[in-house]
Amino acid sequence: MPSFEALLQASQAACDALSADDDGLKREILAHAGNRWSLGVVHALGVGGTLRHAEIARRLDGVTQRMLTRTLRQLERDGLIARHDYDEVPPRVDYRLTELGRGLLVGMVPLWRWVMDNADDFREARRAFDDKTL
Amino acid sequence: MPSFEALLQASQAACDALSADDDGLKREILAHAGNRWSLGVVHALGVGGTLRHAEIARRLDGVTQRMLTRTLRQLERDGLIARHDYDEVPPRVDYRLTELGRGLLVGMVPLWRWVMDNADDFREARRAFDDKTL
DNA sequence: CTGTATCCGGTGGGATACTG
DNA sequence: CAGTATCCCACCGGATACAG
Protein backbone atom coordinates (compact mmCIF):
# COMPACT_ATOMS: atom_id res chain seq x y z
CA MET A 1 0.00 0.00 0.00
CA PRO A 2 1.64 3.23 -1.16
CA SER A 3 1.92 6.25 1.10
CA PHE A 4 -0.34 9.21 0.55
CA GLU A 5 2.69 11.22 -0.51
CA ALA A 6 3.59 8.72 -3.22
CA LEU A 7 0.01 8.87 -4.36
CA LEU A 8 0.17 12.64 -4.61
CA GLN A 9 3.13 12.30 -6.92
CA ALA A 10 1.11 10.11 -9.26
CA SER A 11 -1.77 12.51 -8.85
CA GLN A 12 0.52 15.32 -9.92
CA ALA A 13 1.28 13.80 -13.30
CA ALA A 14 -2.32 12.80 -13.84
CA CYS A 15 -3.72 16.18 -12.95
CA ASP A 16 -1.16 18.02 -15.06
CA ALA A 17 -2.34 15.99 -18.01
CA LEU A 18 -5.96 16.69 -17.21
CA SER A 19 -5.20 20.40 -16.90
CA ALA A 20 -3.76 20.31 -20.40
CA ASP A 21 -6.95 18.66 -21.59
CA ASP A 22 -7.58 21.31 -24.22
CA ASP A 23 -10.44 19.68 -26.05
CA GLY A 24 -11.93 18.35 -22.82
CA LEU A 25 -11.80 14.79 -24.15
CA LYS A 26 -10.22 13.23 -21.06
CA ARG A 27 -12.75 14.93 -18.83
CA GLU A 28 -15.59 13.73 -21.04
CA ILE A 29 -14.33 10.16 -20.69
CA LEU A 30 -14.43 10.55 -16.92
CA ALA A 31 -17.88 12.07 -17.24
CA HIS A 32 -19.20 8.70 -18.40
CA ALA A 33 -18.85 7.71 -14.74
CA GLY A 34 -21.41 10.32 -13.76
CA ASN A 35 -23.88 9.75 -16.57
CA ARG A 36 -27.19 8.22 -15.68
CA TRP A 37 -26.99 4.95 -17.63
CA SER A 38 -23.39 4.58 -18.82
CA LEU A 39 -22.20 2.56 -15.85
CA GLY A 40 -25.18 0.24 -16.07
CA VAL A 41 -24.60 -0.39 -19.76
CA VAL A 42 -20.89 -1.08 -19.29
CA HIS A 43 -21.64 -3.40 -16.42
CA ALA A 44 -24.44 -5.19 -18.30
CA LEU A 45 -22.16 -5.83 -21.28
CA GLY A 46 -19.34 -6.87 -18.95
CA VAL A 47 -21.55 -9.52 -17.38
CA GLY A 48 -23.70 -10.40 -20.37
CA GLY A 49 -21.12 -10.37 -23.16
CA THR A 50 -22.79 -9.50 -26.45
CA LEU A 51 -26.30 -8.14 -26.00
CA ARG A 52 -29.05 -6.65 -28.16
CA HIS A 53 -30.69 -3.31 -27.48
CA ALA A 54 -33.80 -4.85 -25.90
CA GLU A 55 -31.70 -7.21 -23.76
CA ILE A 56 -29.76 -4.30 -22.30
CA ALA A 57 -32.99 -2.39 -21.71
CA ARG A 58 -34.38 -5.35 -19.75
CA ARG A 59 -31.34 -5.20 -17.45
CA LEU A 60 -31.61 -1.47 -16.76
CA ASP A 61 -34.62 -0.66 -14.66
CA GLY A 62 -36.43 2.44 -15.87
CA VAL A 63 -34.37 3.29 -18.92
CA THR A 64 -36.27 4.60 -21.96
CA GLN A 65 -35.50 3.67 -25.55
CA ARG A 66 -34.31 7.17 -26.24
CA MET A 67 -31.90 7.35 -23.32
CA LEU A 68 -30.52 3.87 -23.96
CA THR A 69 -29.88 4.69 -27.60
CA ARG A 70 -28.20 7.96 -26.69
CA THR A 71 -26.06 6.32 -24.01
CA LEU A 72 -25.00 3.56 -26.42
CA ARG A 73 -24.04 6.15 -29.05
CA GLN A 74 -21.92 8.11 -26.60
CA LEU A 75 -20.11 4.99 -25.43
CA GLU A 76 -19.64 3.82 -29.01
CA ARG A 77 -18.29 7.21 -30.05
CA ASP A 78 -15.57 7.02 -27.41
CA GLY A 79 -14.65 3.47 -28.39
CA LEU A 80 -15.89 1.85 -25.17
CA ILE A 81 -18.43 -0.40 -26.86
CA ALA A 82 -18.72 -1.86 -30.37
CA ARG A 83 -22.00 -1.82 -32.29
CA HIS A 84 -22.82 -4.49 -34.85
CA ASP A 85 -25.76 -3.94 -37.20
CA TYR A 86 -26.75 -7.17 -38.96
CA ASP A 87 -28.74 -5.16 -41.48
CA GLU A 88 -31.70 -7.50 -41.31
CA VAL A 89 -35.43 -6.99 -41.33
CA PRO A 90 -36.67 -6.85 -38.64
CA PRO A 91 -33.67 -4.91 -37.31
CA ARG A 92 -31.01 -6.83 -35.43
CA VAL A 93 -28.21 -4.95 -33.66
CA ASP A 94 -25.96 -6.04 -30.84
CA TYR A 95 -23.35 -4.47 -28.65
CA ARG A 96 -20.26 -5.67 -26.83
CA LEU A 97 -17.50 -4.14 -24.71
CA THR A 98 -14.26 -3.24 -26.43
CA GLU A 99 -10.86 -3.52 -24.76
CA LEU A 100 -11.24 0.14 -23.77
CA GLY A 101 -14.65 -0.60 -22.29
CA ARG A 102 -13.25 -3.45 -20.21
CA GLY A 103 -10.55 -1.06 -19.05
CA LEU A 104 -13.18 1.39 -17.85
CA LEU A 105 -14.95 -1.39 -15.97
CA VAL A 106 -11.66 -2.43 -14.35
CA GLY A 107 -10.86 1.14 -13.35
CA MET A 108 -14.32 1.91 -12.03
CA VAL A 109 -14.87 -1.09 -9.75
CA PRO A 110 -12.59 0.16 -6.94
CA LEU A 111 -14.24 3.55 -7.11
CA TRP A 112 -17.71 2.01 -7.04
CA ARG A 113 -16.76 0.02 -3.95
CA TRP A 114 -15.41 3.15 -2.29
CA VAL A 115 -18.59 5.10 -3.01
CA MET A 116 -20.74 2.23 -1.73
CA ASP A 117 -18.67 1.79 1.42
CA ASN A 118 -18.94 5.48 2.25
CA ALA A 119 -22.50 6.16 1.10
CA ASP A 120 -23.70 6.75 4.65
CA ASP A 121 -20.96 9.31 5.25
CA PHE A 122 -21.97 11.19 2.12
CA ARG A 123 -25.60 11.17 3.17
CA GLU A 124 -24.68 12.39 6.63
CA ALA A 125 -22.45 15.14 5.21
CA ARG A 126 -25.29 16.38 3.05
CA ARG A 127 -27.75 16.34 5.90
CA ALA A 128 -25.36 18.33 8.08
CA PHE A 129 -24.64 20.81 5.29
CA ASP A 130 -28.26 21.33 4.36
CA ASP A 131 -29.25 21.78 7.99
CA LYS A 132 -26.49 24.33 8.55
CA THR A 133 -27.45 26.42 5.55
CA LEU A 134 -31.11 26.74 6.47
CA MET B 1 -3.87 -9.48 -10.81
CA PRO B 2 -7.44 -10.76 -10.57
CA SER B 3 -9.14 -12.38 -13.53
CA PHE B 4 -11.73 -10.47 -15.48
CA GLU B 5 -14.34 -12.90 -14.19
CA ALA B 6 -13.46 -12.16 -10.57
CA LEU B 7 -13.68 -8.50 -11.40
CA LEU B 8 -17.15 -8.96 -12.83
CA GLN B 9 -18.24 -10.47 -9.55
CA ALA B 10 -17.13 -7.35 -7.71
CA SER B 11 -18.74 -5.29 -10.44
CA GLN B 12 -21.97 -7.16 -9.84
CA ALA B 13 -22.22 -6.12 -6.20
CA ALA B 14 -21.18 -2.57 -6.98
CA CYS B 15 -23.63 -2.15 -9.82
CA ASP B 16 -26.49 -3.66 -7.85
CA ALA B 17 -25.88 -1.03 -5.20
CA LEU B 18 -25.73 1.72 -7.79
CA SER B 19 -28.96 0.46 -9.34
CA ALA B 20 -30.62 0.82 -5.97
CA ASP B 21 -29.34 4.39 -5.76
CA ASP B 22 -32.82 5.82 -5.25
CA ASP B 23 -31.87 9.38 -4.42
CA GLY B 24 -29.04 9.36 -6.96
CA LEU B 25 -26.51 10.28 -4.27
CA LYS B 26 -23.94 7.65 -5.22
CA ARG B 27 -24.12 8.67 -8.85
CA GLU B 28 -23.73 12.33 -7.90
CA ILE B 29 -20.56 11.49 -5.99
CA LEU B 30 -19.19 9.79 -9.10
CA ALA B 31 -20.30 12.81 -11.12
CA HIS B 32 -17.69 14.90 -9.31
CA ALA B 33 -15.19 13.05 -11.49
CA GLY B 34 -16.73 14.56 -14.61
CA ASN B 35 -17.23 18.08 -13.33
CA ARG B 36 -15.11 20.79 -14.82
CA TRP B 37 -13.14 21.90 -11.74
CA SER B 38 -13.76 19.31 -9.02
CA LEU B 39 -10.77 17.14 -9.84
CA GLY B 40 -8.48 20.15 -9.96
CA VAL B 41 -9.66 21.37 -6.58
CA VAL B 42 -9.28 17.96 -4.94
CA HIS B 43 -5.83 17.60 -6.44
CA ALA B 44 -4.77 21.13 -5.45
CA LEU B 45 -5.83 20.53 -1.84
CA GLY B 46 -4.18 17.11 -1.88
CA VAL B 47 -0.87 18.66 -2.89
CA GLY B 48 -1.21 22.03 -1.15
CA GLY B 49 -2.78 20.99 2.13
CA THR B 50 -4.83 23.87 3.49
CA LEU B 51 -5.44 26.60 0.95
CA ARG B 52 -7.41 29.83 0.67
CA HIS B 53 -9.86 30.62 -2.11
CA ALA B 54 -7.41 32.78 -4.03
CA GLU B 55 -4.61 30.23 -3.64
CA ILE B 56 -6.75 27.54 -5.21
CA ALA B 57 -7.79 29.90 -7.99
CA ARG B 58 -4.13 30.56 -8.79
CA ARG B 59 -3.58 26.82 -9.25
CA LEU B 60 -6.54 26.34 -11.59
CA ASP B 61 -5.96 27.96 -14.93
CA GLY B 62 -9.03 29.74 -16.22
CA VAL B 63 -11.43 29.22 -13.32
CA THR B 64 -13.73 32.13 -12.44
CA GLN B 65 -14.60 33.17 -8.89
CA ARG B 66 -18.16 32.05 -9.42
CA MET B 67 -17.28 28.57 -10.68
CA LEU B 68 -14.65 28.03 -7.98
CA THR B 69 -17.11 29.01 -5.26
CA ARG B 70 -19.79 26.75 -6.69
CA THR B 71 -17.36 23.83 -7.04
CA LEU B 72 -16.13 24.30 -3.46
CA ARG B 73 -19.72 24.35 -2.18
CA GLN B 74 -20.58 21.13 -3.99
CA LEU B 75 -17.50 19.36 -2.65
CA GLU B 76 -18.15 20.70 0.84
CA ARG B 77 -21.78 19.59 0.70
CA ASP B 78 -20.72 16.02 -0.01
CA GLY B 79 -18.15 16.05 2.78
CA LEU B 80 -15.11 15.87 0.49
CA ILE B 81 -13.58 19.15 1.67
CA ALA B 82 -13.85 21.16 4.89
CA ARG B 83 -14.36 24.93 4.88
CA HIS B 84 -13.07 27.14 7.69
CA ASP B 85 -14.28 30.73 7.90
CA TYR B 86 -12.09 32.77 10.26
CA ASP B 87 -14.79 35.44 10.38
CA GLU B 88 -12.28 38.25 9.96
CA VAL B 89 -12.26 41.50 8.03
CA PRO B 90 -11.01 41.33 5.37
CA PRO B 91 -12.52 37.87 4.82
CA ARG B 92 -10.29 34.88 5.46
CA VAL B 93 -11.50 31.40 4.53
CA ASP B 94 -9.53 28.28 3.89
CA TYR B 95 -10.23 24.78 2.66
CA ARG B 96 -8.70 21.36 3.20
CA LEU B 97 -9.40 17.79 2.13
CA THR B 98 -11.37 15.59 4.51
CA GLU B 99 -10.76 11.87 4.91
CA LEU B 100 -13.49 11.32 2.33
CA GLY B 101 -11.78 13.74 -0.03
CA ARG B 102 -8.49 11.91 0.31
CA GLY B 103 -10.39 8.71 -0.43
CA LEU B 104 -11.70 10.20 -3.67
CA LEU B 105 -8.17 11.22 -4.64
CA VAL B 106 -6.92 7.71 -3.92
CA GLY B 107 -9.71 6.13 -5.93
CA MET B 108 -9.37 8.49 -8.87
CA VAL B 109 -5.63 8.28 -9.50
CA PRO B 110 -5.71 4.84 -11.19
CA LEU B 111 -8.60 5.99 -13.35
CA TRP B 112 -6.81 9.22 -14.28
CA ARG B 113 -3.76 7.22 -15.31
CA TRP B 114 -5.90 4.90 -17.40
CA VAL B 115 -7.59 7.81 -19.18
CA MET B 116 -4.22 9.47 -19.84
CA ASP B 117 -2.65 6.26 -21.11
CA ASN B 118 -5.51 5.68 -23.54
CA ALA B 119 -6.19 9.27 -24.59
CA ASP B 120 -4.96 8.64 -28.12
CA ASP B 121 -7.26 5.65 -28.49
CA PHE B 122 -10.24 7.75 -27.40
CA ARG B 123 -9.33 10.47 -29.85
CA GLU B 124 -8.92 7.95 -32.64
CA ALA B 125 -12.26 6.30 -31.78
CA ARG B 126 -14.01 9.64 -31.97
CA ARG B 127 -12.39 10.53 -35.25
CA ALA B 128 -13.43 7.21 -36.76
CA PHE B 129 -16.96 7.53 -35.42
CA ASP B 130 -17.43 11.10 -36.58
CA ASP B 131 -16.04 10.28 -40.01
CA LYS B 132 -18.35 7.29 -40.36
CA THR B 133 -21.46 9.27 -39.45
CA LEU B 134 -20.88 12.07 -41.92
C1' DC C 1 -37.02 -4.38 -32.77
C1' DT C 2 -34.31 -0.39 -33.08
C1' DG C 3 -34.26 4.14 -33.54
C1' DT C 4 -35.71 9.24 -34.44
C1' DA C 5 -38.44 13.74 -33.70
C1' DT C 6 -40.32 16.95 -30.61
C1' DC C 7 -40.84 19.25 -26.47
C1' DC C 8 -39.75 20.14 -21.69
C1' DG C 9 -37.34 21.13 -17.03
C1' DG C 10 -33.09 21.13 -14.51
C1' DT C 11 -28.44 22.04 -14.12
C1' DG C 12 -23.39 22.68 -15.52
C1' DG C 13 -20.40 26.12 -17.13
C1' DG C 14 -19.38 30.80 -18.11
C1' DA C 15 -19.07 36.34 -18.65
C1' DT C 16 -19.73 40.38 -16.22
C1' DA C 17 -20.71 43.43 -12.64
C1' DC C 18 -21.36 44.25 -7.92
C1' DT C 19 -20.93 43.81 -2.36
C1' DG C 20 -19.17 43.52 2.64
C1' DC D 1 -10.52 38.60 -0.39
C1' DA D 2 -14.46 35.91 -0.77
C1' DG D 3 -18.71 35.75 -2.48
C1' DT D 4 -23.29 37.06 -4.79
C1' DA D 5 -26.53 38.69 -8.67
C1' DT D 6 -27.83 38.53 -13.27
C1' DC D 7 -28.03 36.81 -17.69
C1' DC D 8 -26.68 33.46 -21.08
C1' DC D 9 -26.05 28.93 -23.63
C1' DA D 10 -25.48 23.96 -23.99
C1' DC D 11 -26.50 19.54 -22.66
C1' DC D 12 -28.50 15.76 -19.74
C1' DG D 13 -32.54 13.22 -18.56
C1' DG D 14 -37.13 12.25 -19.49
C1' DA D 15 -42.11 11.76 -21.66
C1' DT D 16 -44.42 10.93 -25.66
C1' DA D 17 -45.26 9.97 -30.30
C1' DC D 18 -43.81 8.29 -34.63
C1' DA D 19 -40.92 5.53 -38.39
C1' DG D 20 -38.49 1.75 -41.04
Side-chain angles (χ1 to χ4, degrees):
Chain A
M1 167 137 183
S3 68
F4 189 63
E5 282 67 27
L7 197 127
L8 284 181
Q9 204 171 355
S11 169
Q12 186 72 53
C15 209
D16 287 349
L18 288 176
S19 298
D21 188 21
D22 302 324
D23 51 2
L25 189 141
K26 301 194 190 71
R27 220 172 31 76
E28 287 181 35
I29 301 298
L30 289 172
H32 285 302
N35 286 346
R36 180 75 184 84
W37 301 108
S38 298
L39 291 178
V41 168
V42 170
H43 169 75
L45 292 177
V47 173
T50 299
L51 296 176
R52 302 181 62 176
H53 181 109
E55 292 173 326
I56 302 173
R58 233 170 286 128
R59 291 164 187 248
L60 300 181
D61 195 42
V63 71
T64 62
Q65 280 186 358
R66 176 178 133 73
M67 288 314 297
L68 180 53
T69 299
R70 190 196 279 189
T71 301
L72 289 167
R73 286 293 171 289
Q74 288 172 346
L75 293 172
E76 183 196 0
R77 179 165 185 246
D78 288 334
L80 298 166
I81 64 176
R83 176 179 186 272
H84 185 209
D85 188 340
Y86 290 86
D87 232 332
E88 298 176 355
V89 181
R92 173 182 169 80
V93 182
D94 60 33
Y95 301 87
R96 59 179 178 77
L97 279 188
T98 61
E99 274 305 312
L100 280 177
R102 270 187 286 277
L104 178 61
L105 197 55
V106 170
M108 284 305 300
V109 165
L111 210 49
W112 290 355
R113 295 200 55 83
W114 174 77
V115 171
M116 285 171 13
D117 292 343
N118 295 277
D120 291 341
D121 290 338
F122 295 131
R123 211 176 311 274
E124 170 60 20
R126 283 210 172 178
R127 198 199 54 69
F129 182 89
D130 293 346
D131 282 359
K132 192 175 55 182
T133 53
L134 277 186
Chain B
M1 166 133 184
S3 69
F4 189 63
E5 281 66 28
L7 196 127
L8 285 181
Q9 204 171 355
S11 169
Q12 187 71 53
C15 209
D16 287 349
L18 287 176
S19 298
D21 189 20
D22 303 323
D23 51 3
L25 189 142
K26 300 193 190 72
R27 219 171 33 74
E28 287 181 36
I29 300 299
L30 290 172
H32 285 302
N35 286 347
R36 181 75 184 83
W37 302 108
S38 297
L39 290 177
V41 168
V42 169
H43 169 74
L45 292 177
V47 172
T50 300
L51 296 176
R52 301 182 60 178
H53 182 110
E55 292 173 326
I56 302 173
R58 234 171 285 127
R59 292 165 187 246
L60 300 180
D61 195 41
V63 71
T64 62
Q65 280 188 357
R66 176 178 133 74
M67 287 314 298
L68 180 53
T69 299
R70 190 196 278 189
T71 301
L72 289 168
R73 285 293 172 287
Q74 289 172 347
L75 293 172
E76 183 197 0
R77 180 165 185 246
D78 288 335
L80 298 165
I81 63 175
R83 176 179 186 273
H84 184 210
D85 188 339
Y86 290 85
D87 231 331
E88 298 176 356
V89 181
R92 172 182 169 82
V93 182
D94 60 32
Y95 300 87
R96 59 178 177 78
L97 280 187
T98 60
E99 275 306 313
L100 279 177
R102 269 187 287 277
L104 178 62
L105 197 55
V106 170
M108 285 303 300
V109 165
L111 209 49
W112 289 356
R113 295 200 54 83
W114 174 76
V115 171
M116 286 173 9
D117 293 344
N118 295 277
D120 291 341
D121 290 337
F122 295 131
R123 211 175 312 274
E124 169 61 20
R126 282 211 173 177
R127 198 200 54 70
F129 182 89
D130 293 346
D131 281 0
K132 192 173 55 182
T133 54
L134 278 185

